[in-house]
Amino acid sequence: MTTQPPGLWAIALGSPLVSLLALFFIRSSIKSYKEGDNPDISKSLTSRSLYIGFLGKVILLLFWLGLLVLISVVNGGQVTFVDETLWRYGDPNLTERILFFGWIFSLTLTPAAIAFEAMMFVHATLKDTVFGIDNNLRKTFTTAVFTGIGVISFIVGSELMESVIGYGAAGGVFVGVFLLAVRKPILVILDKASNRFIPSTHTPEETAYLEAYATAMEDLIITVEERKLLDMMASTYGLSEKIVKQLEEEYNFSIEEE
């Protein structure tokens, strides 16, 4: 039975430690930008995005490490290619099925950690140059997480029903129908979480337009006169129709959640 070389384990286990060290440096940069006589909020938000990216990566990698340790303890030793082959093509019992899917799930955690870090890095670098990047990243994050939950739930449900009644598809169908029924509250929760990870950033002109639009929308109706004033304000601030539409959609979506 072939085990992984110690060097590979050292590289894998060293990654969370390096990211953890980076967290301390980024944390100190956030404080330095916020404090002082001339605080720089923009750079503070940039450092915050990088900090959240590294923090998410560390949490996922530590979870991956804990899962590997748990699988190894239950398996009675380090998982090898032979173990994985027997779990996949042999006649596994319920425990071995759980170990197999736990092992497969662990393989997705490292790419997920890197993807989350990359997403926050994109937000940090493009938030001041690409309008709407925060909204696009939030939608991507929400969709990806919900899809991941659906896939994992489908597999787990199928395996449980396969072990109980010998027909796994029934569990998958049940889980799929259940997720469709409760998808709206789940998406709301994910969207609120993504709003904490990726806060909206606007220029002073965009913020002023949003405030004016919020005032006009107090009665949830935009009159003809109010629309003319908003159009005049957008023209004065140099906001394009695309930006205005996205700002208004962002505000409308926020009040729909309340």
Side-chain angles (χ1 to χ4, degrees):
M1 297 184 182
T2 304
T3 58
Q4 298 297 332
L8 290 179
W9 282 109
I11 294 174
L13 299 179
S15 180
L17 298 178
V18 173
S19 297
L20 191 61
L21 181 63
L23 285 178
F24 291 105
F25 289 105
I26 298 175
R27 185 69 177 176
S28 63
S29 70
I30 294 176
K31 291 183 178 180
S32 65
Y33 287 132
K34 283 185 176 180
E35 298 172 354
D37 297 331
N38 297 304
D40 193 327
I41 301 300
S42 178
K43 290 184 177 180
S44 173
L45 289 174
T46 299
S47 296
R48 179 181 180 275
S49 296
L50 294 175
Y51 177 80
I52 292 175
F54 274 100
L55 181 61
K57 179 183 177 182
V58 169
I59 292 174
L60 286 174
L61 290 180
L62 290 177
F63 180 71
W64 165 77
L65 177 60
L67 184 59
L68 282 186
V69 172
L70 178 62
I71 292 174
S72 298
V73 170
V74 176
N75 185 52
Q78 181 180 330
V79 177
T80 64
F81 175 75
V82 175
D83 294 322
E84 182 182 350
T85 303
L86 291 175
W87 293 342
R88 179 179 297 185
Y89 300 109
D91 187 19
N93 54 35
L94 179 59
T95 301
E96 291 173 337
R97 286 178 181 272
I98 294 175
L99 286 175
F100 174 68
F101 284 105
W103 172 255
I104 297 300
F105 176 67
S106 70
L107 299 179
T108 67
L109 290 177
T110 300
I114 296 174
F116 181 78
E117 182 185 30
M119 181 185 71
M120 297 308 300
F121 179 80
V122 169
H123 177 257
T125 54
L126 299 181
K127 66 180 181 62
D128 294 326
T129 56
V130 179
F131 179 78
I133 187 66
D134 42 9
N135 285 330
N136 292 333
L137 289 177
R138 279 198 295 268
K139 291 178 181 178
T140 301
F141 173 82
T142 301
T143 303
V145 173
F146 182 76
T147 303
I149 292 174
V151 171
I152 294 172
S153 300
F154 181 86
I155 294 174
V156 172
S158 298
E159 288 302 316
L160 289 176
M161 293 302 289
E162 181 72 25
S163 301
V164 175
I165 65 175
Y167 188 66
V173 172
F174 175 78
V175 170
V177 172
F178 176 76
L179 283 177
L180 287 176
V182 300
R183 69 185 184 280
K184 188 171 183 178
I186 293 177
L187 289 174
V188 169
I189 293 173
L190 291 176
D191 189 70
K192 289 181 178 179
S194 65
N195 281 330
R196 294 181 65 87
F197 294 146
I198 311 173
S200 297
T201 54
H202 299 295
T203 64
E205 292 79 11
E206 293 164 358
T207 301
Y209 183 87
L210 270 176
E211 292 175 352
Y213 183 74
T215 302
M217 280 289 289
E218 286 181 352
D219 56 358
L220 302 180
I221 298 175
I222 299 294
T223 64
V224 176
E225 291 76 12
E226 289 172 338
R227 175 53 63 187
K228 289 181 179 179
L229 290 174
L230 289 172
D231 290 342
M232 186 181 301
M233 176 177 285
S235 177
T236 302
Y237 286 147
L239 303 177
S240 65
E241 292 184 5
K242 180 180 178 181
I243 292 178
V244 168
K245 181 180 179 181
Q246 194 155 357
L247 288 172
E248 293 181 357
E249 288 178 350
E250 178 182 327
Y251 179 81
N252 293 338
F253 181 76
S254 67
I255 61 176
E256 286 176 1
E257 290 184 339
E258 296 177 354

